[in-house]
């Protein structure tokens, strides 16, 4: 039982990776849109490269979204507004007229017959005006439908007058009255009582339009099973393109039915598993230090899952905004935390995953890979704010140029170009600028360190470096010199110069505990090592590594920087005290005088080891010249190589030679050596 528990704890890192692998596969497949995949790839304007295609099923030819939208626009332009007439208002007007007529003093001198004739004349005029009704103001449309007594009558504007038009009609109609005085009186009375009784019915109009729009057919014609759709070599355009798009849509919808859905899910699972397996194999074979760190592996997979989730969400919601997703944030962030090769590899694998679900997959994959390459090639030194803006501008330009080229290929001209797409690319670039706060967020969540954080750590006015300067000024000065040497060497071979510089500044902070035991801090001729045994002296010297790590952890120094503290002496021996112990006689255990290690495991840590040893030992040079410095650097680095300190570091012999050349030149500059001219 205990053996099983021990094995579990020993293998928990591997078990975690298996769980992460399976969980990632499940999530990605879950994110994918549900549906089959048409087995033919085709593009507008390109020849059909497969065998002649006969329809495997009956399907309707779907109209394009543009055609449907055009029909909708035509219906909306031709819509006839609905108006309703209020019969009660007409009755009120007539009643008001009769009451006002018989009460008016202007008609009191008429006999009964004349009154009746004049009253009937007024009523006839009103009945004519209210046959369909009166509207308050001019109707902009050429016609309308008037709902009266539950019937919809199609009328022209002239049949339904406005108040002003009704008053004109009254003036014309009353002109037939014999007496001018009575004409004006009747006209004034009629105009005073008329009211509009016809009003616009918005709800009825919209319902009628919606009913018409719902009748729009989304298809145009049908293709029967076995009917020829397209032949080999035919250009995919016009009706052929419509048929292929309709067949693709119908085929994929029918494919995702019954037991087929389980087979499709299985297929997706296998493909996603292969892609993620490639990522694991890459990390294991080429980035073993990252593969061994579950935190970093989780960080990489989290970013891949995030990009897949956001992209598939956009595809499901509105695929027109697909390029809003800032996919180039992925290589940008990974390069910032790791390296360019890993960033590009993960970016390409993520695009391959998304190629299963995005429309126009070839175009999408091409544009995203090119944009990713540009990201890797242009983004550097993110702690310089201008660099990110310049890189994002170049990425956006690549998207725009690429889309422009694809449009010309597909359309053969600049017609129908969708200018809104350029706006989408600009929005993509603006969102990509969010990489800076995202990097900060990742640093806090995953405990990683970026160049921006390294820049902050390189400030010599920081609390820890000020403390080092106060307690061990000699060590502080030594660290500055090592930082300058290491940074120059890193720039020469393309290593992370900022990381090396920060590592050099902090590599000896453990000497703050016992500063006087280190020669650079001894300001008198008194050496405390003279009063203690060599073995104890060696332990004090060696312990500065362990104490430095403890101090760094207390001050929340990132692990990437602490690696320099652990490795800057590797597993080398404190040779001076080792030889001194040998001179005293007796058996000497070499391990008691060796640093705990580990030896350097990266270019940056290897550079620091060389720069540290060269700078420290250079203080012993009495009368240095070019030849002495050359031999001195060669001897120091050779001794480190003989001690196998660089076996685990990914640094080549050519790069070591380049580092030595930089160190020699820098030492010559430090000692102000000049070429001796012949007399």
């Amino acid at each position: 039982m205990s053996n099983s528990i021990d094995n579990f704890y020993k293998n928990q890192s591997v078990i975690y990776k298996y769980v992460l692998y399976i969980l990632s596969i499940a999530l990605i497949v879950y994110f994918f849109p549900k549906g089959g995949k048409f087995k033919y790839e085709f593009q507008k304007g390109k020849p059909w490269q497969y065998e002649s295609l006969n329809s495997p099923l009956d399907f309707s030819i779907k109209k394009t979204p543009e055609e449907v939208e055009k029909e909708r626009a035509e219906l909306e332009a031709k819509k006839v507004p609905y108006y309703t007439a209020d019969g009660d208002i007409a009755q009120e007007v007539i009643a008001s007229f009769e009451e006002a007529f018989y009460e008016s003093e202007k008609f009191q001198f008429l006999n009964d017959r004349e009154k009746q004739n004049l009253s009937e004349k007024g009523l006839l005029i009103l009945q004519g005006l209210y046959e369909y009704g009166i509207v308050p103001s001019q109707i902009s449309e050429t016609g309308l439908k008037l709902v009266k007594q539950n019937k919809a009558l199609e009328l022209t504007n002239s049949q339904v007058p406005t108040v002003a038009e009704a008053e004109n009609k009254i003036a014309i109609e009353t002109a037939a009255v014999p007496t001018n005085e009575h004409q004006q009186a009747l006209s004034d009375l009629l105009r005073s009582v008329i009211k509009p009784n016809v009003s616009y019915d918005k709800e009825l109009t919209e319902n009628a339009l919606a009913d018409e729009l719902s009748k729009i057919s989304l298809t145009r014609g049908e293709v029967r099973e076995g009917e020829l759709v397209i032949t080999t070599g035919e250009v995919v355009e016009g009706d052929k393109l419509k048929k292929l798009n309709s067949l693709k849509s119908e085929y994929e919808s029918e494919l995702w039915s019954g037991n087929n859905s389980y087979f499709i899910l299985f297929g997706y699972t296998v493909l996603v598993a292969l892609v993620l397996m490639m990522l694991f194999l890459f990390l294991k074979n080429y980035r073993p230090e990252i593969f061994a760190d579950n935190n970093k592996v989780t960080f990489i997979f989290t970013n891949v899952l995030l990009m897949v989730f956001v992209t598939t969400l956009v595809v499901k919601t509105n695929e027109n905004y697909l390029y809003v997703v800032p996919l180039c944030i992925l290589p940008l962030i990974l390069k910032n935390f790791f390296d360019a090769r890993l960033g590009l590899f993960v970016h390409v694998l993520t695009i391959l995953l998304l190629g299963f679900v995005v429309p126009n997959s070839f175009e999408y994959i091409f544009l995203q890979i090119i944009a990713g390459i540009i990201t890797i090639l242009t983004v550097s030194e993110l702690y310089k704010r201008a660099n990110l803006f310049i890189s994002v501008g170049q990425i956006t330009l690549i998207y725009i140029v690429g889309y422009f080229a694809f449009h010309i290929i597909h359309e053969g001209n600049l017609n129908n170009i969708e200018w809104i797409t350029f706006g989408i690319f600009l929005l993509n670039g603006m969102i990509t600028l969010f990489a800076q706060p995202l990097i900060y967020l990742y640093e806090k969540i995953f405990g990683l360190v970026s160049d921006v954080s390294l820049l902050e750590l390189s400030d010599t006015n920081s609390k820890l470096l000020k403390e080092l300067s106060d307690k061990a000024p000699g060590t502080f000065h030594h660290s500055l010199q090592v930082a300058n040497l290491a940074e120059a060497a890193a720039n020469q071979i393309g290593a992370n110069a900022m990381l090396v510089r920060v590592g050099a500044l902090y590599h000896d902070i453990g000497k703050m505990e016992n500063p006087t035991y280190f020669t650079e801090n001894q300001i008198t001729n008194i050496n405390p090592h003279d009063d203690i045994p060599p073995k104890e002296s060696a332990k004090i010297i060696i312990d500065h590594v362990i104490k430095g790590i403890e101090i760094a952890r207390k001050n929340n120094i990132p692990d990437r920087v602490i690696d320099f503290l652990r490795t800057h002496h590797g597993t080398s021996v404190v040779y001076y005290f080792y030889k001194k112990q040998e001179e005293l006689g007796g058996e000497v255990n070499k391990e008691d005088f060796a640093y705990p290690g580990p030896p350097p495991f990266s270019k940056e840590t290897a550079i620091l080891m060389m720069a540290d040893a060269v700078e420290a030992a250079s203080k012993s040079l009495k009368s240095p010249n070019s030849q002495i410095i050359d031999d001195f650097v060669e001897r120091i680095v050779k001794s480190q190589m003989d001690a196998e300190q660089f076996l685990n570091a990914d640094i080549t012999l050519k790069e070591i030679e380049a580092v030595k050349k930089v160190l020699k030149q820098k030492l010559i500059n430090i000692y102000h050596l000049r070429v001796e001219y012949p007399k």
Side-chain angles (χ1 to χ4, degrees):
M1 180 68 178
S2 61
N3 289 335
S4 299
I5 295 174
D6 289 341
N7 289 332
F8 173 78
Y9 281 111
K10 288 178 182 178
N11 297 319
Q12 62 179 333
S13 178
V14 177
I15 295 171
Y16 176 81
K17 289 182 177 67
Y18 277 118
V19 172
L20 181 64
Y21 178 65
I22 294 170
L23 181 63
S24 298
I25 294 171
L27 286 174
I28 291 173
V29 174
Y30 177 76
F31 293 155
F32 279 179
K34 303 301 181 284
K37 196 74 175 174
F38 195 48
K39 58 184 178 180
Y40 300 107
E41 282 286 339
F42 57 90
Q43 287 182 303
K44 181 182 177 181
K46 292 291 187 70
W48 179 257
Q49 299 177 345
Y50 308 97
E51 71 279 0
S52 296
L53 176 63
N54 293 314
S55 176
L57 45 83
D58 295 339
F59 68 93
S60 299
I61 303 172
K62 294 184 178 180
K63 295 177 184 176
T64 64
E66 292 77 15
E67 290 175 328
V68 175
E69 187 59 34
K70 183 180 178 182
E71 290 187 25
R72 289 177 60 89
E74 288 176 353
L75 283 176
E76 289 177 355
K78 294 177 181 178
K79 73 174 181 180
V80 178
Y82 277 77
Y83 286 77
T84 54
D86 190 339
D88 292 339
I89 292 177
Q91 295 300 321
E92 287 176 12
V93 169
I94 291 172
S96 298
F97 168 75
E98 290 180 328
E99 183 179 350
F101 180 84
Y102 286 103
E103 291 179 357
S104 175
E105 295 179 356
K106 294 181 180 181
F107 305 115
Q108 293 301 320
F109 301 102
L110 297 175
N111 57 43
D112 291 342
R113 183 174 180 79
E114 288 175 331
K115 278 187 179 182
Q116 185 178 359
N117 289 337
L118 199 57
S119 172
E120 288 176 353
K121 178 65 176 178
L123 290 173
L124 284 173
I125 292 173
L126 289 177
Q127 288 170 356
L129 291 175
Y130 284 99
E131 179 182 2
Y132 299 118
I134 300 173
V135 292
S137 57
Q138 185 66 48
I139 299 171
S140 59
E141 290 81 7
T142 56
L144 72 154
K145 287 191 176 181
L146 180 66
V147 178
K148 192 173 183 181
Q149 297 178 350
N150 296 325
K151 291 183 180 180
L153 306 174
E154 290 193 23
L155 305 174
T156 62
N157 287 358
S158 61
Q159 292 177 286
V160 185
T162 63
V163 173
E165 290 171 341
E167 289 176 349
N168 290 334
K169 286 187 176 182
I170 289 171
I172 295 170
E173 293 288 337
T174 54
V177 175
T179 307
N180 289 337
E181 181 183 351
H182 295 155
Q183 286 178 13
Q184 189 61 43
L186 181 61
S187 177
D188 291 343
L189 179 58
L190 289 171
R191 281 186 293 179
S192 68
V193 297
I194 60 171
K195 296 179 183 178
N197 71 325
V198 174
S199 59
Y200 175 65
D201 193 326
K202 182 179 178 181
E203 182 180 356
L204 191 57
T205 303
E206 290 180 351
N207 289 340
L209 178 60
D211 185 55
E212 289 295 322
L213 293 175
S214 67
K215 295 177 182 177
I216 294 177
S217 174
L218 301 179
T219 62
R220 179 183 287 120
E222 291 188 354
V223 175
R224 296 296 180 184
E225 182 178 350
E227 185 178 332
L228 180 65
V229 177
I230 193 169
T231 59
T232 306
E234 273 193 275
V235 177
V236 179
E237 58 184 0
D239 289 339
K240 300 293 181 182
L241 178 61
K242 293 176 183 177
K243 287 182 180 181
L244 285 171
N245 283 328
S246 300
L247 175 59
K248 178 182 178 181
S249 176
E250 189 71 22
Y251 184 85
E252 290 179 348
S253 63
E254 286 206 3
L255 200 60
W256 188 265
S257 60
N259 293 329
N260 290 349
S261 59
Y262 297 107
F263 285 105
I264 293 171
L265 282 175
F266 176 75
Y268 274 139
T269 302
V270 171
L271 292 175
V272 172
L274 286 174
V275 172
L276 296 184
M277 186 186 296
M278 296 304 104
L279 178 53
F280 267 119
L281 290 175
F282 177 86
L283 293 175
K284 184 177 181 181
N285 292 323
Y286 299 103
R287 299 293 182 274
E289 70 281 1
I290 296 176
F291 183 77
D293 190 332
N294 282 341
N295 182 55
K296 293 179 179 178
V297 174
T298 304
F299 170 72
I300 294 170
F301 272 75
T302 299
N303 277 277
V304 173
L305 289 172
L306 181 63
M307 288 300 163
V308 172
F309 169 71
V310 174
T311 305
T312 52
L313 182 65
V314 172
V315 170
K316 292 176 182 178
T317 306
N318 190 340
E319 63 185 33
N320 293 326
Y321 295 97
L322 178 62
Y323 286 100
V324 168
V325 181
L327 206 62
C328 287
I329 278 185
L330 181 60
L332 191 154
I333 288 176
L334 293 181
K335 181 184 178 182
N336 183 74
F337 284 117
F338 304 114
D339 60 85
R341 188 179 176 189
L342 175 60
L344 183 59
F345 189 82
V346 174
H347 179 67
V348 171
L349 290 183
T350 305
I351 293 169
L352 291 178
L353 287 172
L354 295 174
F356 298 144
V357 297
V358 297
N360 299 322
S361 55
F362 172 78
E363 178 180 326
Y364 179 84
I365 291 172
F366 181 89
L367 282 177
Q368 295 292 8
I369 288 179
I370 294 296
I373 292 173
I374 291 296
T375 304
I376 292 297
L377 294 178
T378 60
V379 173
S380 62
E381 299 179 328
L382 275 182
Y383 56 86
K384 296 179 180 178
R385 290 171 295 181
N387 287 0
L388 180 60
F389 284 92
I390 293 170
S391 181
V392 167
Q394 292 172 328
I395 293 167
T396 305
L397 181 63
I398 286 296
Y399 276 130
I400 291 173
V401 171
Y403 168 77
F404 185 77
F406 272 112
H407 180 81
I408 292 175
I409 292 172
H410 293 162
E411 300 291 339
N413 52 51
L414 296 180
N415 297 334
N416 303 321
I417 193 166
E418 296 181 6
W419 296 105
I420 191 174
T421 307
F422 296 122
I424 289 173
F425 290 140
L426 292 174
L427 182 59
N428 178 296
M430 293 177 65
I431 298 174
T432 304
L433 293 174
F434 187 70
Q436 280 283 22
L438 194 60
I439 287 171
Y440 177 79
L441 188 65
Y442 280 143
E443 285 181 331
K444 300 306 177 186
I445 295 175
F446 292 94
L448 301 172
V449 60
S450 67
D451 284 350
V452 179
S453 295
L454 291 176
L455 181 64
E456 294 173 357
L457 290 169
S458 68
D459 183 7
T460 53
N461 289 315
S462 64
K463 178 183 175 182
L464 189 54
L465 291 181
K466 287 287 285 183
E467 186 179 354
L468 176 63
S469 176
D470 294 337
K471 291 183 177 180
T475 298
F476 178 72
H477 180 73
H478 160 72
S479 298
L480 286 175
Q481 294 284 13
V482 173
N484 293 331
L485 291 173
E487 183 179 22
N491 281 322
Q492 183 66 29
I493 67 170
N496 190 331
M498 180 61 70
L499 179 61
V500 172
R501 180 172 185 81
V502 173
L505 289 173
Y506 289 87
H507 79 285
D508 271 345
I509 56 174
K511 292 181 179 180
M512 287 192 295
E513 294 291 319
N514 296 298
T516 57
Y517 283 87
F518 299 90
T519 55
E520 66 265 24
N521 299 311
Q522 293 171 2
I523 57 177
T524 66
N525 292 328
I526 299 173
N527 190 338
H529 289 290
D530 294 339
D531 301 325
I532 57 177
K535 187 175 180 180
E536 188 175 336
S537 293
K539 185 177 186 307
I540 293 172
I541 299 297
I542 291 169
D543 280 352
H544 88 272
V545 173
I546 305 300
K547 290 177 179 177
I549 293 172
E550 292 174 355
I551 293 171
R553 294 200 186 282
K554 286 178 183 177
N555 286 272
N556 297 317
I557 302 298
D559 287 339
R560 286 181 77 187
V561 178
I562 292 176
D563 287 340
F564 289 89
L565 279 70
R566 296 166 54 218
T567 62
H568 72 278
H569 286 296
T571 55
S572 61
V573 174
V574 186
Y575 196 71
Y576 177 82
F577 293 110
Y578 173 70
K579 294 301 291 183
K580 196 172 180 180
Q581 184 68 42
E582 278 189 335
E583 291 171 2
L584 294 176
E587 186 176 348
V588 182
N589 186 358
K590 199 171 185 178
E591 292 182 0
D592 293 336
F593 295 85
Y595 285 96
F601 47 76
S602 66
K603 289 180 184 179
E604 289 77 13
T605 51
I607 290 170
L608 178 63
M609 172 178 270
M610 289 185 269
D612 181 42
V614 166
E615 202 285 329
S618 69
K619 299 296 189 293
S620 64
L621 295 175
K622 301 298 182 184
S623 301
N625 57 40
S626 297
Q627 186 59 48
I628 290 174
I629 289 176
D630 191 281
D631 295 340
F632 164 75
V633 173
E634 290 288 344
R635 185 172 66 255
I636 295 266
V637 176
K638 184 177 184 303
S639 66
Q640 292 174 335
M641 294 177 68
D642 291 342
E644 299 182 342
Q645 295 300 312
F646 303 139
L647 286 182
N648 295 331
D650 58 341
I651 189 168
T652 64
L653 290 173
K654 182 178 180 181
E655 289 170 335
I656 291 175
E657 289 298 321
V659 171
K660 289 193 294 185
K661 184 177 180 180
V662 172
L663 295 177
K664 293 172 188 176
Q665 187 60 49
K666 286 291 181 182
L667 286 180
I668 289 172
N669 293 339
I670 289 171
Y671 287 104
H672 305 289
L673 298 179
R674 287 175 170 81
V675 177
E676 294 184 9
Y677 293 96
K679 294 181 180 179

